[in-house]
Amino acid sequence: MLLAGALFGLATLTRAVLLLFPLGLAIHLLIVYRGRAWKMIAALLVAYALVISTWTIYNLARWNRFVIAGEGLPAFLYIGAAGWADPFEVDQQLNETLGEEASNDMGERQGDYLEAANMQISADPLGYVRHRFEELASAYLQPHGTTYFSGESLREVISQWLREDRSLAGIGRIFNSDQFFPKLILYLFHYGVLITGVIGAWRLRRQWRLTLPLLGFIAYVTLVHLLLLALPRYIFPTMLCWIVLGTSGLTRNVLARVES
C-alpha cells in the first residue's frame, strides 16, 4: 500500500487529473476488507499525500503559491467550454470573452479562466452540454496513435465517403489515403480492445470486487474529461484497463471451455 500510494503520487504529479482517484481506491478497500481496511487506507493515503506534498512545499518555498498537484483545472474547464485550437487562439479568445486582457499573474489568471468559463457556459448551457458529449465521444472514437500521422484523417475520409460517395471508386480513395494501413491497424486494435473490454467486464461481473478499481478508473477519467477538455491522449490511459478486462474475460472463457 505504501508503494502503491507513492506511485500514484508520482503519477498525479505527472497528470494532476488523477488527484482524487486514490480516494476511490480507499472506498474500494473499505468495501472489500471492511474493518480491516483502515491500516491499508492509511498507508495508501499517507504515502500518496507525502509525495504530492513535495510539489506543494516547493511552490510555497519558491513562488509563495499554494498548489496541490497542479494549477491547470480552471484553464481546462474553460477550454472544455470554449474549444481548443492552439495556445495563441485560446489566449485571444479568453481576452475577447472577458472583454479585457487576462492577467499575466498565474494566480489571478486562474480566476480569469473560471470567469470566462462561467460566461461561456451560461451563454448557451445546452450547447455546452452537447459540445462536451461530442468531444468526449470523439476522444474515445479516435485512437490516440493516429493523431501523430500527417495528412488527412482516416475517420474523416470514411465519413465523407459515407455522406457523399458510397461508390467503389471512393473505397479505392480510402485505401490510397495518407498512411492508411498503419492507421487501420491502430483502429482495429483500438476498437478491438474496447469491444473485448466491454465483453470482459460483463463476463466478470460476479468478480466485481476485482474489476471495480479498473471500471472505477475508466469511469473517473471519463467523468473528469466530460467536464474538462477531452482529447484522445487524455482518454488513452483507460486503454490499459480495457485491455486487462478484455484479456481476463477472454481467458476466463477459454479456461471454462478447457475445464469442461
Side-chain angles (χ1 to χ4, degrees), residues 81-101:
W84 168 259
D86 61 61
F88 298 104
E89 289 192 23
V90 168
D91 289 343
Q92 182 179 357
Q93 188 172 7
L94 174 63
N95 295 335
E96 292 176 357
T97 303
L98 293 172
E100 60 183 9
E101 188 172 348

Side-chain angles (χ1 to χ4, degrees), residues 80-129:
W84 168 259
D86 61 61
F88 298 104
E89 289 192 23
V90 168
D91 289 343
Q92 182 179 357
Q93 188 172 7
L94 174 63
N95 295 335
E96 292 176 357
T97 303
L98 293 172
E100 60 183 9
E101 188 172 348
S103 173
N104 289 324
D105 180 80
M106 186 63 69
E108 294 180 5
R109 194 176 183 86
Q110 303 309 307
D112 290 338
Y113 279 125
L114 286 176
E115 181 182 350
N118 180 60
M119 294 170 68
Q120 286 279 348
I121 295 170
S122 59
D124 185 9
L126 293 179
Y128 166 75
V129 172

Side-chain angles (χ1 to χ4, degrees), residues 22-67:
L23 295 179
L25 293 178
I27 295 173
H28 175 258
L29 289 171
L30 194 60
I31 292 173
V32 173
Y33 295 101
R34 300 183 184 278
R36 295 176 294 143
W38 292 110
K39 288 183 179 179
M40 290 185 283
I41 292 173
L44 175 74
L45 295 183
V46 168
Y48 179 70
L50 288 174
V51 174
I52 293 296
S53 68
T54 58
W55 186 239
T56 303
I57 294 170
Y58 170 78
N59 275 275
L60 281 172
R62 182 70 175 82
W63 307 107
N64 195 29
R65 291 205 309 266
F66 184 74
V67 177

